[in-house]
Protein backbone atom coordinates (compact mmCIF):
# COMPACT_ATOMS: atom_id res chain seq x y z
CA UNK A 1 0.00 0.00 0.00
CA UNK A 2 1.51 3.41 -0.94
CA UNK A 3 2.04 5.89 1.88
CA UNK A 4 1.16 9.59 1.65
CA UNK A 5 2.53 11.91 4.32
CA UNK A 6 0.60 15.12 4.97
CA UNK A 7 3.12 17.63 6.28
CA UNK A 8 0.75 20.27 7.66
CA UNK A 9 -2.99 20.09 8.41
CA UNK A 10 -5.21 20.22 5.31
CA UNK A 11 -8.96 19.88 4.69
CA UNK A 12 -10.04 16.30 5.60
CA UNK A 13 -11.34 15.61 2.09
CA UNK A 14 -7.71 15.11 0.98
CA UNK A 15 -7.06 12.20 3.34
CA UNK A 16 -10.50 10.77 2.63
CA UNK A 17 -9.93 10.61 -1.13
CA UNK A 18 -6.53 9.02 -0.66
CA UNK A 19 -7.74 6.42 1.87
CA UNK A 20 -10.73 5.46 -0.29
CA UNK A 21 -8.31 4.79 -3.14
CA UNK A 22 -6.15 2.50 -0.97
CA UNK A 23 -3.40 4.89 0.12
CA UNK A 24 -2.18 4.86 3.72
CA UNK A 25 -2.25 8.42 5.05
CA UNK A 26 0.17 9.54 7.77
CA UNK A 27 -0.16 13.01 9.26
CA UNK A 28 3.10 14.63 10.32
CA UNK A 29 3.12 14.97 14.13
CA UNK A 30 3.77 18.73 13.90
CA UNK A 31 3.82 21.43 11.21
CA UNK A 32 7.61 21.97 11.25
CA UNK A 33 10.42 20.34 9.27
CA UNK A 34 11.73 18.34 12.24
CA UNK A 35 8.41 16.53 12.52
CA UNK A 36 8.34 15.90 8.79
CA UNK A 37 11.88 14.53 8.88
CA UNK A 38 10.68 11.89 11.37
CA UNK A 39 8.15 10.37 9.00
CA UNK A 40 9.12 11.16 5.41
CA UNK A 41 11.51 8.19 5.02
CA UNK A 42 8.79 5.73 3.99
CA UNK A 43 6.64 8.15 1.99
CA UNK A 44 5.65 7.53 -1.62
CA UNK A 45 3.88 10.90 -1.74
CA UNK A 46 3.89 14.06 0.35
CA UNK A 47 1.52 17.02 0.57
CA UNK A 48 3.18 20.24 1.76
CA UNK A 49 1.72 23.62 2.68
CA UNK A 50 5.10 25.00 3.68
CA UNK A 51 8.66 24.39 2.54
CA UNK A 52 10.27 21.16 1.41
CA UNK A 53 14.06 21.47 1.31
CA UNK A 54 16.32 19.22 -0.75
CA UNK A 55 17.61 17.37 2.35
CA UNK A 56 14.13 16.02 3.12
CA UNK A 57 13.71 14.80 -0.46
CA UNK A 58 17.05 13.01 -0.08
CA UNK A 59 15.71 11.36 3.09
CA UNK A 60 12.75 9.86 1.18
CA UNK A 61 14.03 7.19 -1.22
CA UNK A 62 10.53 6.04 -2.28
CA UNK A 63 9.12 9.53 -2.84
CA UNK A 64 7.59 9.69 -6.34
CA UNK A 65 5.37 12.77 -6.10
CA UNK A 66 5.34 16.05 -4.16
CA UNK A 67 2.03 17.90 -3.99
CA UNK A 68 2.38 21.62 -3.32
CA UNK A 69 -0.80 22.61 -1.50
CA UNK A 70 -1.25 25.96 -3.27
CA UNK A 71 -0.25 28.06 -6.25
CA UNK A 72 3.16 29.47 -5.36
CA UNK A 73 5.91 26.85 -5.48
CA UNK A 74 8.71 29.14 -4.32
CA UNK A 75 9.24 27.21 -1.05
CA UNK A 76 9.89 23.90 -2.75
CA UNK A 77 13.23 23.08 -4.31
CA UNK A 78 11.60 22.02 -7.58
CA UNK A 79 14.85 21.61 -9.50
CA UNK A 80 16.23 19.28 -6.85
CA UNK A 81 13.01 17.25 -6.92
CA UNK A 82 13.19 16.94 -10.68
CA UNK A 83 16.87 16.02 -10.62
CA UNK A 84 15.78 13.05 -8.49
CA UNK A 85 12.89 12.22 -10.84
CA UNK A 86 10.20 13.38 -8.40
CA UNK A 87 7.41 15.28 -10.17
CA UNK A 88 5.96 18.31 -8.34
CA UNK A 89 2.24 19.02 -8.72
CA UNK A 90 0.44 22.16 -7.59
CA UNK A 91 -3.10 23.57 -7.42
CA UNK A 92 -3.19 26.78 -9.46
CA UNK A 93 -6.94 27.27 -9.71
CA UNK A 94 -8.19 26.09 -6.31
CA UNK A 95 -7.81 29.29 -4.28
CA UNK A 96 -8.05 32.07 -6.85
CA UNK A 97 -11.43 33.41 -5.68
CA UNK A 98 -10.38 33.24 -2.05
CA UNK A 99 -7.25 35.33 -2.78
CA UNK A 100 -9.05 37.88 -4.94
CA UNK A 101 -11.72 38.33 -2.26
CA UNK A 102 -9.02 38.74 0.37
CA UNK A 103 -7.24 41.40 -1.69
CA UNK A 104 -10.54 43.25 -2.07
CA UNK A 105 -11.15 42.96 1.67
CA UNK A 106 -7.67 44.36 2.43
CA UNK A 107 -8.26 47.25 0.01
CA UNK A 108 -11.48 48.21 1.76
CA UNK A 109 -10.13 47.56 5.26
CA UNK A 110 -7.08 49.75 4.56
CA UNK A 111 -9.00 52.60 2.93
CA UNK A 112 -11.55 52.60 5.79
CA UNK A 113 -9.01 51.81 8.54
CA UNK A 114 -11.32 49.00 9.63
CA UNK A 115 -8.93 47.46 12.14
CA UNK A 116 -8.08 50.80 13.73
CA UNK A 117 -11.78 51.74 13.79
CA UNK A 118 -12.60 48.45 15.51
CA UNK A 119 -9.96 49.10 18.18
CA UNK A 120 -11.19 52.67 18.68
CA UNK A 121 -14.81 51.50 19.04
CA UNK A 122 -13.88 48.90 21.65
CA UNK A 123 -12.00 51.57 23.63
CA UNK A 124 -14.93 54.00 23.41
CA UNK A 125 -12.73 56.34 21.36
CA UNK A 126 -15.65 57.97 19.54
CA UNK A 127 -13.55 60.90 18.33
CA UNK A 128 -11.99 58.55 15.73
CA UNK A 129 -14.40 59.94 13.12
CA UNK A 130 -13.06 63.48 13.58
CA UNK A 131 -9.43 62.41 13.46
CA UNK A 132 -8.97 59.90 10.65
CA UNK A 133 -9.26 60.56 6.91
CA UNK A 134 -11.15 57.58 5.43
CA UNK A 135 -11.46 56.98 1.68
CA UNK A 136 -13.97 55.62 -0.78
CA UNK A 137 -12.60 53.44 -3.59
CA UNK A 138 -15.30 54.26 -6.15
CA UNK A 139 -13.79 56.04 -9.13
CA UNK A 140 -10.22 55.49 -7.91
CA UNK A 141 -7.56 53.70 -9.98
CA UNK A 142 -6.47 50.18 -9.05
CA UNK A 143 -3.09 49.12 -10.45
CA UNK A 144 -2.75 45.36 -10.80
CA UNK A 145 0.77 43.97 -11.15
CA UNK A 146 0.57 40.51 -12.77
CA UNK A 147 -2.29 39.57 -15.07
CA UNK A 148 -2.72 35.98 -13.91
CA UNK A 149 -5.72 34.25 -12.38
CA UNK A 150 -6.05 36.36 -9.23
CA UNK A 151 -5.16 39.63 -10.92
CA UNK A 152 -7.86 39.09 -13.53
CA UNK A 153 -10.53 38.14 -11.01
CA UNK A 154 -9.69 41.08 -8.75
CA UNK A 155 -9.95 43.38 -11.77
CA UNK A 156 -13.43 42.12 -12.46
CA UNK A 157 -14.54 42.43 -8.83
CA UNK A 158 -13.13 45.93 -8.31
CA UNK A 159 -14.52 47.25 -11.59
CA UNK A 160 -17.99 45.77 -11.10
CA UNK A 161 -18.47 46.07 -7.35
CA UNK A 162 -16.57 49.26 -6.63
CA UNK A 163 -16.63 51.06 -9.96
CA UNK A 164 -12.86 51.38 -9.92
CA UNK A 165 -10.77 52.12 -12.99
CA UNK A 166 -8.19 49.34 -13.46
CA UNK A 167 -4.74 49.56 -15.01
CA UNK A 168 -2.56 46.49 -15.48
CA UNK A 169 1.14 45.93 -15.91
CA UNK A 170 2.26 42.41 -16.63
CA UNK A 171 5.41 41.90 -18.71
CA UNK A 172 4.29 38.60 -20.22
CA UNK A 173 0.91 39.94 -21.31
CA UNK A 174 0.51 39.97 -25.09
CA UNK A 175 -0.55 43.34 -26.54
CA UNK A 176 -4.02 42.00 -27.39
CA UNK A 177 -4.28 39.94 -24.20
CA UNK A 178 -6.81 42.01 -22.24
CA UNK A 179 -10.53 41.24 -22.22
CA UNK A 180 -12.81 44.03 -23.44
CA UNK A 181 -14.16 44.39 -19.91
CA UNK A 182 -12.32 47.56 -19.24
CA UNK A 183 -8.84 47.23 -17.77
CA UNK A 184 -6.21 49.40 -19.40
CA UNK A 185 -2.79 47.96 -20.06
CA UNK A 186 0.22 50.13 -19.29
CA UNK A 187 3.67 49.44 -20.72
CA UNK A 188 5.79 50.08 -17.65
CA UNK A 189 5.60 49.53 -13.91
CA UNK A 190 6.48 53.22 -13.55
CA UNK A 191 3.33 54.21 -15.46
CA UNK A 192 1.20 51.96 -13.24
CA UNK A 193 2.74 53.32 -10.02
CA UNK A 194 2.41 56.93 -11.17
CA UNK A 195 -1.30 56.61 -11.87
CA UNK A 196 -2.67 54.15 -9.27
CA UNK A 197 -4.43 54.99 -6.00
CA UNK A 198 -4.18 51.33 -4.97
CA UNK A 199 -1.41 48.96 -6.14
CA UNK A 200 -2.05 45.23 -5.71
CA UNK A 201 0.59 42.57 -6.44
CA UNK A 202 -0.37 39.29 -8.17
CA UNK A 203 2.79 37.60 -9.42
CA UNK A 204 4.98 34.74 -8.20
CA UNK A 205 8.20 35.28 -6.25
CA UNK A 206 11.22 34.58 -8.43
CA UNK A 207 14.67 36.11 -8.85
CA UNK A 208 13.36 38.73 -11.27
CA UNK A 209 10.23 39.60 -9.28
CA UNK A 210 11.90 40.00 -5.85
CA UNK A 211 11.42 43.56 -4.55
CA UNK A 212 9.13 44.55 -7.41
CA UNK A 213 8.25 47.36 -4.99
CA UNK A 214 11.64 48.57 -3.82
CA UNK A 215 12.49 52.02 -2.43
CA UNK A 216 12.69 53.57 -5.92
CA UNK A 217 9.37 52.04 -6.98
CA UNK A 218 7.64 53.19 -3.79
CA UNK A 219 8.89 56.71 -4.46
CA UNK A 220 7.19 56.62 -7.87
CA UNK A 221 3.78 55.93 -6.32
CA UNK A 222 1.12 58.60 -6.01
CA UNK A 223 1.35 60.33 -2.62
CA UNK A 224 -1.27 58.84 -0.33
CA UNK A 225 -1.67 55.59 -2.30
CA UNK A 226 -2.35 52.15 -0.82
CA UNK A 227 -0.27 48.96 -1.23
CA UNK A 228 -1.87 45.50 -1.16
CA UNK A 229 0.10 42.25 -1.17
CA UNK A 230 -1.51 38.81 -1.15
CA UNK A 231 1.19 37.16 -3.30
CA UNK A 232 4.58 36.79 -1.59
CA UNK A 233 6.32 39.00 0.95
CA UNK A 234 9.56 39.05 -1.04
CA UNK A 235 7.87 41.09 -3.77
CA UNK A 236 8.21 44.15 -1.51
CA UNK A 237 11.22 45.65 0.24
CA UNK A 238 9.46 45.65 3.61
CA UNK A 239 11.77 48.09 5.31
CA UNK A 240 11.41 50.61 2.44
CA UNK A 241 7.63 50.18 2.66
CA UNK A 242 7.74 50.74 6.43
CA UNK A 243 9.66 54.01 5.88
CA UNK A 244 7.10 55.20 3.33
CA UNK A 245 4.22 54.26 5.65
CA UNK A 246 5.88 55.92 8.63
CA UNK A 247 6.36 59.25 6.92
CA UNK A 248 2.87 59.12 5.34
CA UNK A 249 3.93 59.06 1.66
CA UNK A 250 1.97 55.80 1.46
CA UNK A 251 -1.43 56.09 3.16
CA UNK A 252 -1.67 52.46 4.21
CA UNK A 253 -0.94 48.84 3.34
CA UNK A 254 -2.90 45.61 3.49
CA UNK A 255 -0.48 42.70 3.78
CA UNK A 256 -1.16 38.97 3.93
CA UNK A 257 2.42 37.90 3.19
CA UNK A 258 5.80 38.94 4.56
CA UNK A 259 9.50 38.72 3.75
CA UNK A 260 9.89 36.42 6.77
CA UNK A 261 7.03 34.17 7.89
CA UNK A 262 5.88 33.79 10.59
CA UNK A 263 6.21 37.55 11.08
CA UNK A 264 9.14 37.92 13.52
CA UNK A 265 8.76 39.73 16.83
CA UNK A 266 9.84 43.32 16.29
CA UNK A 267 8.90 43.29 12.60
CA UNK A 268 9.14 46.75 11.05
CA UNK A 269 5.60 46.67 9.70
CA UNK A 270 3.87 45.22 12.75
CA UNK A 271 4.46 48.36 14.81
CA UNK A 272 2.82 50.71 12.32
CA UNK A 273 -0.72 52.03 12.83
CA UNK A 274 -1.66 52.35 9.14
CA UNK A 275 -1.38 48.68 8.13
CA UNK A 276 -3.85 45.81 8.08
CA UNK A 277 -2.08 42.48 8.55
CA UNK A 278 -3.29 38.90 8.09
CA UNK A 279 -1.19 35.74 8.67
CA UNK A 280 -0.95 34.36 5.10
CA UNK A 281 -4.59 33.30 4.94
CA UNK A 282 -5.72 34.81 1.63
CA UNK A 283 -6.08 31.35 0.11
CA UNK A 284 -7.49 29.72 3.24
CA UNK A 285 -11.26 29.91 3.05
CA UNK A 286 -12.92 26.55 3.74
CA UNK A 287 -14.02 26.43 0.10
CA UNK A 288 -10.50 27.00 -1.18
CA UNK A 289 -8.95 24.58 1.30
CA UNK A 290 -11.36 21.85 0.26
CA UNK A 291 -10.67 22.41 -3.44
CA UNK A 292 -6.91 22.53 -2.79
CA UNK A 293 -6.86 19.31 -0.72
CA UNK A 294 -9.00 17.58 -3.34
CA UNK A 295 -6.68 18.63 -6.19
CA UNK A 296 -3.62 17.48 -4.25
CA UNK A 297 -5.12 14.06 -3.51
CA UNK A 298 -6.45 13.51 -7.04
CA UNK A 299 -3.12 14.40 -8.61
CA UNK A 300 -1.25 12.09 -6.24
CA UNK A 301 -3.55 9.25 -7.26
CA UNK A 302 -2.88 10.01 -10.92
CA UNK A 303 0.87 9.85 -10.42
CA UNK A 304 0.67 6.63 -8.37
CA UNK A 305 -1.41 5.11 -11.15
CA UNK A 306 1.08 6.22 -13.82
CA UNK A 307 -1.19 8.88 -15.32
CA UNK A 308 0.03 12.42 -15.99
CA UNK A 309 -1.63 14.75 -13.43
CA UNK A 310 -3.45 17.96 -14.36
CA UNK A 311 -0.99 20.49 -12.92
CA UNK A 312 2.69 19.61 -13.05
CA UNK A 313 5.04 22.49 -12.25
CA UNK A 314 7.23 21.31 -15.13
CA UNK A 315 5.32 18.97 -17.45
CA UNK A 316 8.49 18.49 -19.51
CA UNK A 317 10.08 16.56 -16.59
CA UNK A 318 7.28 13.96 -16.53
CA UNK A 319 9.05 11.49 -18.81
CA UNK A 320 12.09 11.41 -16.50
CA UNK A 321 10.09 10.49 -13.40
CA UNK A 322 10.95 7.87 -10.80
CA UNK A 323 8.52 4.94 -10.86
CA UNK A 324 6.30 4.33 -7.79
CA UNK A 325 7.72 1.63 -5.49
CA UNK A 326 4.25 0.28 -4.67
CA UNK A 327 3.25 -2.17 -7.33
CA UNK A 328 -0.31 -2.90 -8.52
CA UNK A 329 -1.65 0.52 -7.59
CA UNK A 330 -2.67 1.27 -11.16
CA UNK A 331 -4.81 -1.86 -11.41
CA UNK A 332 -6.81 -0.84 -8.36
CA UNK A 333 -7.80 2.54 -9.80
CA UNK A 334 -11.16 3.14 -11.50
N1 LIG B 1 -1.58 34.55 0.13
C1 LIG B 1 -2.03 33.41 -0.31
O1 LIG B 1 -2.67 32.66 0.44
C2 LIG B 1 -1.82 33.03 -1.75
C3 LIG B 1 -0.80 33.57 -2.49
N2 LIG B 1 -0.63 33.24 -3.81
C4 LIG B 1 0.46 33.87 -4.56
O2 LIG B 1 -0.09 34.66 -5.60
C5 LIG B 1 0.70 34.50 -6.77
C6 LIG B 1 -0.14 34.82 -7.99
O3 LIG B 1 -1.21 33.90 -8.07
P1 LIG B 1 -2.04 33.72 -9.42
O4 LIG B 1 -2.51 35.01 -9.93
O5 LIG B 1 -3.06 32.68 -9.12
O6 LIG B 1 -0.91 33.15 -10.37
P2 LIG B 1 -0.90 32.99 -11.96
O7 LIG B 1 0.13 31.97 -12.25
O8 LIG B 1 -2.26 32.81 -12.50
O9 LIG B 1 -0.39 34.41 -12.47
C7 LIG B 1 0.81 34.95 -12.13
C8 LIG B 1 1.22 36.11 -13.02
O10 LIG B 1 2.52 36.44 -12.60
C9 LIG B 1 3.38 36.58 -13.70
N3 LIG B 1 4.55 35.70 -13.74
C10 LIG B 1 5.82 36.10 -13.62
N4 LIG B 1 6.64 35.08 -13.64
C11 LIG B 1 5.89 33.97 -13.79
C12 LIG B 1 6.19 32.58 -13.85
N5 LIG B 1 7.42 32.10 -13.79
N6 LIG B 1 5.16 31.73 -13.98
C13 LIG B 1 3.91 32.17 -14.03
N7 LIG B 1 3.58 33.48 -13.97
C14 LIG B 1 4.56 34.37 -13.85
C15 LIG B 1 2.60 36.42 -14.92
O11 LIG B 1 2.50 37.70 -15.37
P3 LIG B 1 3.79 38.57 -15.79
O12 LIG B 1 4.96 37.66 -16.08
O13 LIG B 1 3.31 39.27 -16.99
O14 LIG B 1 4.06 39.47 -14.60
C16 LIG B 1 1.28 35.79 -14.48
O15 LIG B 1 0.21 36.32 -15.17
C17 LIG B 1 1.18 33.05 -6.66
O16 LIG B 1 2.36 32.84 -7.38
C18 LIG B 1 1.39 32.86 -5.18
O17 LIG B 1 2.73 33.17 -4.86
C19 LIG B 1 -1.49 32.39 -4.43
C20 LIG B 1 -2.51 31.81 -3.75
C21 LIG B 1 -2.72 32.03 -2.33
O1 LIG C 1 -1.48 29.04 -2.91
C1 LIG C 1 -0.50 29.66 -2.44
O2 LIG C 1 0.47 30.01 -3.11
C2 LIG C 1 -0.52 30.02 -1.03
O3 LIG C 1 0.26 30.82 -0.59
C3 LIG C 1 -1.53 29.36 -0.17
O4 LIG C 1 -1.26 29.57 1.16
Amino acid sequence: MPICVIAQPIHPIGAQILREAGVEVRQSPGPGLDSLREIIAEADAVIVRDSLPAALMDAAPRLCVIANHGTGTDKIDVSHAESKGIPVVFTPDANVRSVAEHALMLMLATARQAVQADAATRKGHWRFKYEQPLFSLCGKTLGIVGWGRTGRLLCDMAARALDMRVVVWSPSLPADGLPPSGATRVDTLHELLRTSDVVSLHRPLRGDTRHTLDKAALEQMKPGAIVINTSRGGLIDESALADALRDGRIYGAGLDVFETEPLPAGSVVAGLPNVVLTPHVAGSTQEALEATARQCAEQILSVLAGRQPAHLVHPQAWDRRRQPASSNFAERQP
Side-chain angles (χ1 to χ4, degrees), residues 102-150:
H102 200 86
L104 197 67
M105 181 277 291
L106 288 175
M107 284 164 55
L108 286 164
T110 307
R112 295 300 177 87
Q113 300 201 12
V115 173
Q116 301 86 331
D118 175 276
T121 311
R122 288 169 199 268
K123 281 191 230 139
H125 186 68
W126 221 248
R127 293 182 61 79
F128 184 81
K129 67 180 170 189
Y130 305 126
E131 296 166 354
Q132 298 301 326
L134 308 178
F135 292 99
S136 177
L137 294 178
C138 174
K140 301 283 182 358
T141 299
L142 167 62
I144 295 183
V145 178
W147 192 241
R149 294 173 184 85
T150 56

Side-chain angles (χ1 to χ4, degrees), residues 71-72 74 92 95-96 99 146-151 170-173 202-204 206 209 230-232 256-257 280-283:
T71 305
D74 47 288
N95 58 19
V96 176
V99 176
W147 192 241
R149 294 173 184 85
T150 56
S170 195
S172 60
L173 182 67
H202 298 278
R203 56 193 330 218
R206 298 181 312 169
T209 61
T230 54
S231 288
R232 285 293 181 266
D256 182 55
V257 285
H280 200 143
V281 291

Side-chain angles (χ1 to χ4, degrees), residues 126 185 227 268:
W126 221 248
R185 175 205 165 108
V227 171
V268 280

Side-chain angles (χ1 to χ4, degrees), residues 7 31 55 83 116 122 129 144 157 212 259 268 299 321 329:
S83 73
Q116 301 86 331
R122 288 169 199 268
K129 67 180 170 189
I144 295 183
M157 289 174 166
T212 298
E259 285 198 283
V268 280
Q299 295 193 86
R321 71 193 180 279
F329 190 78

